[in-house]
Protein backbone atom coordinates (compact mmCIF):
# COMPACT_ATOMS: atom_id res chain seq x y z
CA UNK A 1 0.00 0.00 0.00
CA UNK A 2 1.28 3.45 -0.88
CA UNK A 3 1.96 5.74 2.01
CA UNK A 4 1.26 9.33 1.02
CA UNK A 5 2.14 12.14 3.39
CA UNK A 6 0.23 15.43 3.24
CA UNK A 7 3.29 17.51 2.40
CA UNK A 8 3.23 20.45 0.04
CA UNK A 9 2.67 19.13 -3.47
CA UNK A 10 2.39 22.07 -5.77
CA UNK A 11 2.16 20.33 -9.09
CA UNK A 12 -1.28 20.47 -10.67
CA UNK A 13 -3.28 17.34 -11.18
CA UNK A 14 -4.98 16.54 -14.44
CA UNK A 15 -8.06 14.42 -15.03
CA UNK A 16 -8.90 11.97 -17.81
CA UNK A 17 -9.93 13.70 -21.04
CA UNK A 18 -13.05 11.75 -22.03
CA UNK A 19 -15.76 14.26 -21.12
CA UNK A 20 -18.70 12.59 -22.92
CA UNK A 21 -20.38 11.68 -19.61
CA UNK A 22 -20.16 15.25 -18.34
CA UNK A 23 -21.35 16.73 -21.63
CA UNK A 24 -24.39 14.42 -21.75
CA UNK A 25 -25.24 15.15 -18.10
CA UNK A 26 -25.00 18.88 -18.75
CA UNK A 27 -27.19 18.55 -21.81
CA UNK A 28 -29.89 16.63 -19.95
CA UNK A 29 -29.90 18.93 -16.93
CA UNK A 30 -30.05 22.03 -19.15
CA UNK A 31 -32.91 20.42 -21.06
CA UNK A 32 -34.70 19.72 -17.75
CA UNK A 33 -34.52 23.38 -16.73
CA UNK A 34 -35.53 24.53 -20.22
CA UNK A 35 -38.54 22.23 -20.46
CA UNK A 36 -39.85 22.79 -16.92
CA UNK A 37 -39.16 26.52 -16.81
CA UNK A 38 -37.61 26.10 -13.35
CA UNK A 39 -34.81 28.44 -12.35
CA UNK A 40 -31.31 27.16 -11.68
CA UNK A 41 -30.72 30.09 -9.29
CA UNK A 42 -32.74 32.89 -7.67
CA UNK A 43 -35.36 30.41 -6.51
CA UNK A 44 -38.03 32.18 -4.41
CA UNK A 45 -38.08 29.41 -1.78
CA UNK A 46 -34.37 30.07 -1.11
CA UNK A 47 -35.03 33.68 -0.17
CA UNK A 48 -37.83 32.56 2.17
CA UNK A 49 -35.65 29.84 3.68
CA UNK A 50 -32.82 32.32 4.21
CA UNK A 51 -35.12 34.75 6.03
CA UNK A 52 -36.50 31.99 8.29
CA UNK A 53 -33.08 30.59 9.24
CA UNK A 54 -31.46 34.00 9.83
CA UNK A 55 -34.43 35.15 11.93
CA UNK A 56 -34.20 31.99 14.07
CA UNK A 57 -30.44 32.46 14.44
CA UNK A 58 -30.77 36.13 15.47
CA UNK A 59 -33.59 35.39 17.95
CA UNK A 60 -31.65 32.57 19.59
CA UNK A 61 -28.51 34.71 19.88
CA UNK A 62 -30.46 37.55 21.49
CA UNK A 63 -32.22 35.13 23.85
CA UNK A 64 -28.95 33.51 24.90
CA UNK A 65 -27.08 36.75 25.50
CA UNK A 66 -29.79 39.05 26.86
CA UNK A 67 -32.56 36.86 28.29
CA UNK A 68 -31.29 33.50 29.55
CA UNK A 69 -30.47 33.76 33.24
CA UNK A 70 -29.98 30.16 34.34
CA UNK A 71 -28.11 27.19 32.89
CA UNK A 72 -31.32 25.28 32.17
CA UNK A 73 -32.55 28.21 30.09
CA UNK A 74 -29.18 28.73 28.41
CA UNK A 75 -28.46 25.12 27.51
CA UNK A 76 -31.40 24.39 25.16
CA UNK A 77 -30.98 27.82 23.56
CA UNK A 78 -27.26 27.20 22.98
CA UNK A 79 -28.04 23.80 21.43
CA UNK A 80 -30.61 25.33 19.08
CA UNK A 81 -28.24 28.19 18.28
CA UNK A 82 -25.53 25.67 17.35
CA UNK A 83 -27.98 23.88 15.06
CA UNK A 84 -29.11 27.15 13.47
CA UNK A 85 -25.46 27.99 12.73
CA UNK A 86 -25.07 24.63 10.99
CA UNK A 87 -28.25 25.40 9.03
CA UNK A 88 -26.76 28.74 7.90
CA UNK A 89 -23.69 26.88 6.65
CA UNK A 90 -25.64 24.17 4.85
CA UNK A 91 -28.38 26.28 3.33
CA UNK A 92 -27.20 29.84 2.80
CA UNK A 93 -23.43 30.17 2.89
CA UNK A 94 -22.77 27.03 0.85
CA UNK A 95 -24.99 28.09 -2.08
CA UNK A 96 -23.70 31.67 -1.94
CA UNK A 97 -20.08 30.49 -1.89
CA UNK A 98 -20.68 28.31 -4.94
CA UNK A 99 -22.47 31.16 -6.77
CA UNK A 100 -25.49 28.86 -6.83
CA UNK A 101 -27.77 31.20 -4.93
CA UNK A 102 -28.30 33.93 -7.49
CA UNK A 103 -27.33 35.17 -10.94
CA UNK A 104 -26.16 38.38 -9.24
CA UNK A 105 -22.59 38.24 -7.95
CA UNK A 106 -23.31 40.63 -5.08
CA UNK A 107 -26.14 38.47 -3.73
CA UNK A 108 -23.91 35.40 -3.84
CA UNK A 109 -21.17 37.35 -2.07
CA UNK A 110 -23.58 38.55 0.61
CA UNK A 111 -24.89 35.03 1.23
CA UNK A 112 -21.36 33.61 1.26
CA UNK A 113 -20.51 36.15 3.98
CA UNK A 114 -22.93 34.43 6.36
CA UNK A 115 -19.94 32.10 6.86
CA UNK A 116 -18.18 35.00 8.60
CA UNK A 117 -21.27 35.42 10.75
CA UNK A 118 -20.81 31.90 12.09
CA UNK A 119 -17.12 32.43 12.75
CA UNK A 120 -15.21 31.01 9.79
CA UNK A 121 -13.65 33.12 7.06
CA UNK A 122 -15.65 33.11 3.83
CA UNK A 123 -12.45 34.07 1.99
CA UNK A 124 -10.50 31.01 3.18
CA UNK A 125 -13.53 28.74 2.79
CA UNK A 126 -13.84 29.72 -0.86
CA UNK A 127 -10.35 28.39 -1.55
CA UNK A 128 -10.56 25.44 0.83
CA UNK A 129 -13.96 24.17 -0.27
CA UNK A 130 -14.98 25.61 -3.64
CA UNK A 131 -11.56 25.38 -5.26
CA UNK A 132 -9.53 22.67 -3.50
CA UNK A 133 -12.13 20.21 -2.20
CA UNK A 134 -14.39 20.40 -5.23
CA UNK A 135 -11.52 19.90 -7.66
CA UNK A 136 -9.43 17.31 -5.84
CA UNK A 137 -12.19 15.39 -4.05
CA UNK A 138 -10.85 12.47 -1.98
CA UNK A 139 -7.37 12.73 -3.48
CA UNK A 140 -5.05 12.11 -0.55
CA UNK A 141 -2.50 14.87 -0.07
CA UNK A 142 -4.57 17.34 -2.12
CA UNK A 143 -8.11 17.47 -0.67
CA UNK A 144 -7.78 19.32 2.65
CA UNK A 145 -11.16 17.99 3.83
CA UNK A 146 -9.74 14.51 4.34
CA UNK A 147 -6.69 15.70 6.31
CA UNK A 148 -7.01 15.39 10.07
CA UNK A 149 -3.25 15.38 10.68
CA UNK A 150 -2.09 12.63 13.03
CA UNK A 151 -5.44 12.60 14.84
CA UNK A 152 -7.28 10.51 12.28
CA UNK A 153 -6.77 8.33 9.23
CA UNK A 154 -9.56 8.84 6.71
CA UNK A 155 -8.03 7.30 3.60
CA UNK A 156 -6.08 4.10 2.88
CA UNK A 157 -3.12 6.22 1.68
CA UNK A 158 -2.49 8.06 4.94
CA UNK A 159 -0.03 6.93 7.58
CA UNK A 160 -1.57 4.81 10.29
CA UNK A 161 -0.69 5.26 13.95
CA UNK A 162 -1.52 2.61 16.58
CA UNK A 163 -4.01 4.89 18.38
CA UNK A 164 -6.10 5.17 15.20
CA UNK A 165 -7.62 1.81 16.18
CA UNK A 166 -9.89 3.83 18.51
CA UNK A 167 -10.60 6.66 16.06
CA UNK A 168 -14.16 5.47 15.38
CA UNK A 169 -14.87 6.43 19.01
CA UNK A 170 -12.70 9.44 19.74
CA UNK A 171 -13.07 11.39 16.47
CA UNK A 172 -16.70 12.45 17.04
CA UNK A 173 -16.05 15.02 19.79
CA UNK A 174 -12.90 16.14 17.96
CA UNK A 175 -15.03 17.00 14.90
CA UNK A 176 -16.71 19.51 17.21
CA UNK A 177 -13.57 20.87 18.87
CA UNK A 178 -12.02 21.32 15.45
CA UNK A 179 -14.34 24.23 14.76
CA UNK A 180 -12.88 26.20 17.68
CA UNK A 181 -9.45 25.69 16.12
CA UNK A 182 -10.90 26.73 12.76
CA UNK A 183 -12.37 29.95 14.20
CA UNK A 184 -9.37 31.01 16.24
CA UNK A 185 -6.33 29.50 14.53
CA UNK A 186 -6.73 27.74 11.14
CA UNK A 187 -8.10 30.73 9.21
CA UNK A 188 -5.28 32.98 10.45
CA UNK A 189 -2.64 30.31 9.73
CA UNK A 190 -3.94 29.74 6.18
CA UNK A 191 -3.97 33.49 5.42
CA UNK A 192 -0.46 34.01 6.84
CA UNK A 193 0.99 30.96 5.05
CA UNK A 194 -0.98 31.52 1.84
CA UNK A 195 -1.72 27.81 1.71
CA UNK A 196 -4.56 25.35 2.19
CA UNK A 197 -2.85 22.13 3.21
CA UNK A 198 -0.76 21.19 0.20
CA UNK A 199 -2.34 23.74 -2.16
CA UNK A 200 -1.37 27.37 -2.57
CA UNK A 201 -3.97 30.05 -1.77
CA UNK A 202 -3.52 33.67 -2.81
CA UNK A 203 -3.26 35.80 0.32
CA UNK A 204 -6.15 38.28 0.66
CA UNK A 205 -5.21 41.70 -0.66
CA UNK A 206 -6.49 45.18 0.21
CA UNK A 207 -10.28 45.00 0.55
CA UNK A 208 -10.19 41.23 0.88
CA UNK A 209 -7.80 41.60 3.80
CA UNK A 210 -9.91 44.38 5.31
CA UNK A 211 -12.95 42.08 4.93
CA UNK A 212 -11.14 39.15 6.52
CA UNK A 213 -9.97 41.16 9.54
CA UNK A 214 -13.27 43.01 10.09
CA UNK A 215 -15.31 39.82 9.78
CA UNK A 216 -13.13 38.07 12.35
CA UNK A 217 -13.32 41.10 14.66
CA UNK A 218 -17.10 41.26 14.32
CA UNK A 219 -17.44 37.58 15.15
CA UNK A 220 -15.18 37.88 18.20
CA UNK A 221 -17.24 40.86 19.41
CA UNK A 222 -20.47 38.89 18.91
CA UNK A 223 -19.19 35.67 20.44
CA UNK A 224 -17.19 37.11 23.34
CA UNK A 225 -17.29 40.93 23.54
CA UNK A 226 -21.03 41.55 23.89
CA UNK A 227 -21.76 38.48 26.08
CA UNK A 228 -18.93 39.52 28.45
CA UNK A 229 -20.80 42.74 29.23
CA UNK A 230 -23.57 40.65 30.79
CA UNK A 231 -22.02 37.36 31.90
CA UNK A 232 -18.90 36.05 33.62
CA UNK A 233 -15.94 34.91 31.54
CA UNK A 234 -16.30 31.17 32.27
CA UNK A 235 -20.00 31.30 31.38
CA UNK A 236 -19.26 33.00 28.06
CA UNK A 237 -16.49 30.52 27.20
CA UNK A 238 -18.61 27.53 28.21
CA UNK A 239 -21.62 28.59 26.15
CA UNK A 240 -19.43 29.51 23.16
CA UNK A 241 -17.95 26.01 23.36
CA UNK A 242 -21.32 24.23 23.70
CA UNK A 243 -22.76 26.16 20.76
CA UNK A 244 -19.91 25.81 18.29
CA UNK A 245 -18.89 22.26 19.21
CA UNK A 246 -22.41 21.17 18.33
CA UNK A 247 -22.20 23.10 15.05
CA UNK A 248 -18.84 21.44 14.33
CA UNK A 249 -20.07 17.91 14.97
CA UNK A 250 -23.19 18.35 12.83
CA UNK A 251 -21.35 20.05 9.94
CA UNK A 252 -18.43 17.59 9.93
CA UNK A 253 -20.64 14.51 10.11
CA UNK A 254 -22.90 15.68 7.26
CA UNK A 255 -19.86 16.34 5.05
CA UNK A 256 -18.13 13.08 6.09
CA UNK A 257 -21.19 11.09 5.04
CA UNK A 258 -20.65 12.25 1.46
CA UNK A 259 -17.00 11.25 1.04
CA UNK A 260 -15.71 9.21 3.99
CA UNK A 261 -17.84 6.09 3.82
CA UNK A 262 -17.17 2.55 2.63
CA UNK A 263 -18.70 3.12 -0.80
CA UNK A 264 -16.60 6.18 -1.74
CA UNK A 265 -13.38 5.75 -3.71
CA UNK A 266 -10.00 7.23 -2.78
CA UNK A 267 -7.99 7.10 -6.03
CA UNK A 268 -4.39 8.20 -6.26
CA UNK A 269 -2.95 10.25 -9.13
CA UNK A 270 -0.37 8.41 -11.21
CA UNK A 271 3.08 8.71 -9.69
CA UNK A 272 5.17 11.38 -11.44
CA UNK A 273 2.67 12.67 -14.01
CA UNK A 274 0.01 13.74 -11.50
CA UNK A 275 -2.74 12.49 -13.77
CA UNK A 276 -5.97 11.13 -12.35
CA UNK A 277 -7.33 8.15 -14.27
CA UNK A 278 -10.98 9.21 -14.59
CA UNK A 279 -12.45 12.28 -16.23
CA UNK A 280 -13.40 14.92 -13.66
CA UNK A 281 -17.16 14.23 -13.60
CA UNK A 282 -16.69 10.46 -13.23
CA UNK A 283 -14.17 11.11 -10.46
CA UNK A 284 -16.76 13.25 -8.65
CA UNK A 285 -19.40 10.51 -8.78
CA UNK A 286 -16.99 7.77 -7.70
CA UNK A 287 -15.77 9.72 -4.67
CA UNK A 288 -19.19 10.89 -3.49
CA UNK A 289 -22.21 9.19 -1.93
CA UNK A 290 -25.76 10.52 -1.46
CA UNK A 291 -28.03 9.72 1.48
CA UNK A 292 -31.70 10.01 2.46
CA UNK A 293 -32.76 11.22 -0.98
CA UNK A 294 -36.41 10.51 -0.17
CA UNK A 295 -36.51 12.67 2.95
CA UNK A 296 -37.97 16.11 2.32
CA UNK A 297 -37.22 17.22 5.87
CA UNK A 298 -33.54 16.28 5.66
CA UNK A 299 -33.25 17.84 2.20
CA UNK A 300 -34.70 21.10 3.56
CA UNK A 301 -32.60 21.18 6.72
CA UNK A 302 -29.31 20.05 5.16
CA UNK A 303 -29.38 22.38 2.19
CA UNK A 304 -29.37 19.49 -0.26
CA UNK A 305 -26.11 18.15 1.16
CA UNK A 306 -27.70 14.71 1.14
CA UNK A 307 -27.46 15.10 -2.67
CA UNK A 308 -23.71 15.60 -2.80
CA UNK A 309 -23.30 13.74 -6.10
CA UNK A 310 -25.60 16.28 -7.76
CA UNK A 311 -23.88 19.10 -5.89
CA UNK A 312 -20.40 18.01 -7.01
CA UNK A 313 -21.54 17.66 -10.60
CA UNK A 314 -23.55 20.90 -10.65
CA UNK A 315 -22.15 23.15 -7.92
CA UNK A 316 -23.69 26.26 -9.54
CA UNK A 317 -27.22 24.88 -9.45
CA UNK A 318 -29.17 25.97 -6.36
CA UNK A 319 -29.66 23.08 -3.92
CA UNK A 320 -33.47 23.25 -3.96
CA UNK A 321 -33.25 21.69 -7.45
CA UNK A 322 -31.19 18.64 -6.48
CA UNK A 323 -34.10 16.29 -5.65
CA UNK A 324 -35.53 17.02 -9.12
CA UNK A 325 -32.35 16.33 -11.08
CA UNK A 326 -31.10 13.37 -9.04
CA UNK A 327 -33.12 10.72 -10.93
CA UNK A 328 -31.79 12.13 -14.16
CA UNK A 329 -28.21 11.99 -12.87
CA UNK A 330 -28.72 8.44 -11.60
CA UNK A 331 -30.11 7.31 -14.97
CA UNK A 332 -27.23 8.90 -16.89
CA UNK A 333 -24.72 7.24 -14.55
CA UNK A 334 -26.33 3.87 -15.24
CA UNK A 335 -26.14 4.37 -19.01
CA UNK A 336 -22.46 5.31 -18.85
CA UNK A 337 -21.57 2.48 -16.44
CA UNK A 338 -20.68 4.89 -13.64
CA UNK A 339 -21.73 3.58 -10.22
CA UNK A 340 -24.19 5.91 -8.45
CA UNK A 341 -24.02 5.23 -4.72
CA UNK A 342 -26.43 6.23 -2.01
CA UNK A 343 -27.45 5.40 1.53
CA UNK A 344 -31.14 5.06 2.06
CA UNK A 345 -31.09 7.10 5.29
CA UNK A 346 -28.89 9.37 7.40
CA UNK A 347 -28.52 6.51 9.88
CA UNK A 348 -27.27 4.13 7.20
CA UNK A 349 -24.70 6.74 6.11
CA UNK A 350 -23.64 7.31 9.71
CA UNK A 351 -23.15 3.58 10.26
CA UNK A 352 -21.04 3.39 7.10
CA UNK A 353 -18.86 6.31 8.24
CA UNK A 354 -18.38 4.56 11.61
CA UNK A 355 -17.33 1.33 9.87
CA UNK A 356 -15.02 3.21 7.51
CA UNK A 357 -13.26 4.92 10.45
CA UNK A 358 -12.92 1.55 12.19
CA UNK A 359 -11.48 -0.05 9.05
CA UNK A 360 -9.02 2.79 8.41
CA UNK A 361 -7.85 2.68 12.03
CA UNK A 362 -7.52 -1.09 12.27
CA UNK A 363 -4.06 -2.71 12.15
CA UNK A 364 -3.11 -4.04 8.71
CA UNK A 365 -4.12 -7.69 8.42
CA UNK A 366 -1.08 -9.99 8.31
CA UNK A 367 -0.41 -11.23 4.78
ZN1 LIG B 1 -19.69 22.40 -1.98
Amino acid sequence: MTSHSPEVTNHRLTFGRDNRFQAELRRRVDEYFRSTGRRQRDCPQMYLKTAIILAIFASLYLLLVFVAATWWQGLPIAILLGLSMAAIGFNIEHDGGHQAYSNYAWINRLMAMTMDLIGASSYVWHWKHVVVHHTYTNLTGHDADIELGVLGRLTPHQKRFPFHRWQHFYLWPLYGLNIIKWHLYDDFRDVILGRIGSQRMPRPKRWELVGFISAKALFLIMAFGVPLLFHRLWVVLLFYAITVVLTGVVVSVVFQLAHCVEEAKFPLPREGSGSVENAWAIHQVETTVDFARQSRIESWLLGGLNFQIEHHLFPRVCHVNYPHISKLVEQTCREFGVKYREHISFRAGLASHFRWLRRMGAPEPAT
Side-chain angles (χ1 to χ4, degrees):
M1 187 169 288
T2 316
S3 182
H4 198 108
S5 64
E7 282 144 14
V8 181
T9 46
N10 284 316
H11 56 265
R12 287 173 71 87
L13 300 181
T14 53
F15 290 90
R17 293 227 182 99
D18 183 356
N19 289 325
R20 277 174 298 174
F21 171 64
Q22 187 175 4
E24 181 58 16
L25 263 176
R26 181 85 254 177
R27 193 192 65 74
R28 291 184 188 185
V29 168
D30 284 347
E31 171 59 22
Y32 165 80
F33 282 109
R34 204 189 52 75
S35 62
T36 58
R38 283 178 180 273
R39 297 171 181 198
Q40 297 198 24
R41 290 168 286 281
D42 288 307
C43 309
Q45 61 269 52
M46 267 300 280
Y47 287 89
L48 177 66
K49 192 180 198 181
T50 302
I52 293 171
I53 293 172
L54 288 179
I56 291 173
F57 166 75
S59 312
L60 290 166
Y61 174 79
L62 295 174
L63 278 176
L64 185 62
V65 175
F66 298 107
V67 180
T70 62
W71 71 267
W72 54 266
Q73 289 170 345
L75 188 62
I77 298 172
I79 290 171
L80 291 172
L81 182 62
L83 294 175
S84 75
M85 286 166 62
I88 290 175
F90 294 150
N91 290 281
I92 308 170
E93 172 277 325
H94 190 224
D95 276 51
H98 276 290
Q99 300 181 304
Y101 197 108
S102 172
N103 288 326
Y104 297 97
W106 70 270
I107 296 181
N108 287 322
R109 183 78 202 102
L110 192 67
M111 297 306 167
M113 279 165 66
T114 56
M115 187 63 153
D116 299 294
L117 194 65
I118 58 174
S121 162
S122 57
Y123 178 87
V124 175
W125 187 87
H126 170 80
W127 289 96
K128 183 175 190 295
H129 180 86
V130 179
V131 178
V132 175
H133 168 66
H134 271 266
T135 310
Y136 303 122
T137 315
N138 275 15
L139 289 164
T140 309
H142 299 271
D143 179 358
D145 276 16
I146 49 171
E147 298 295 347
L148 296 179
V150 294
L151 291 175
R153 180 175 186 251
L154 297 181
T155 92
H157 317 298
Q158 289 167 336
K159 188 170 163 49
R160 185 188 165 276
F161 291 97
F163 55 85
H164 287 158
R165 72 169 64 196
W166 299 290
Q167 66 172 3
H168 51 300
F169 297 119
Y170 71 70
L171 274 184
W172 306 88
L174 291 185
Y175 283 158
L177 291 170
N178 210 26
I179 200 170
I180 297 181
K181 187 166 149 276
W182 186 358
H183 282 169
L184 306 176
Y185 172 71
D186 289 356
D187 278 340
F188 296 100
R189 177 202 58 198
D190 293 346
V191 163
I192 290 166
L193 295 180
R195 212 171 71 203
I196 302 284
S198 65
Q199 305 290 331
R200 294 227 177 276
M201 172 187 79
R203 289 192 183 90
K205 294 195 181 68
R206 293 181 191 177
W207 285 111
E208 289 165 344
L209 188 59
V210 172
F212 173 81
I213 294 169
S214 3
K216 278 288 177 191
L218 196 70
F219 175 74
L220 294 176
I221 290 168
M222 268 180 59
F224 304 108
V226 177
L228 275 172
L229 298 175
F230 303 94
H231 306 279
R232 276 173 288 174
L233 177 65
W234 72 267
V235 175
V236 172
L237 293 179
L238 179 67
F239 277 88
Y240 162 77
I242 293 170
T243 306
V244 302
V245 163
L246 187 69
T247 311
V249 171
V250 173
V251 169
S252 296
V253 166
V254 166
F255 276 94
Q256 296 291 39
L257 257 53
H259 304 294
C260 286
V261 285
E262 298 159 301
E263 296 76 7
K265 294 262 188 296
F266 291 88
L268 280 179
R270 277 193 204 98
E271 202 95 19
S273 69
S275 61
V276 180
E277 186 186 350
N278 282 319
W280 177 85
I282 295 176
H283 176 83
Q284 296 302 320
V285 178
E286 296 225 316
T287 53
T288 310
V289 180
D290 280 5
F291 64 88
R293 283 196 298 161
Q294 308 300 329
S295 169
R296 295 183 73 161
I297 295 173
E298 279 162 75
S299 301
W300 196 92
L301 288 171
L302 302 179
L305 289 170
N306 47 336
F307 291 91
Q308 284 259 25
I309 294 176
E310 288 70 16
H311 170 58
H312 270 259
L313 290 170
F314 298 99
R316 281 213 63 206
V317 168
C318 178
H319 76 258
V320 298
N321 292 305
Y322 294 158
H324 305 292
I325 62 170
S326 81
K327 288 285 166 206
L328 211 146
V329 171
E330 186 182 12
Q331 175 64 25
T332 314
C333 285
R334 200 174 300 130
E335 287 170 29
F336 278 79
V338 180
K339 211 162 167 43
Y340 183 101
R341 298 171 177 91
E342 66 166 326
H343 286 117
I344 205 72
S345 65
F346 178 79
R347 240 179 97 173
L350 205 61
S352 183
H353 178 53
F354 178 86
R355 289 192 298 268
W356 179 249
L357 290 180
R358 188 175 57 192
R359 195 199 297 178
M360 287 299 98
E364 301 281 345
T367 47

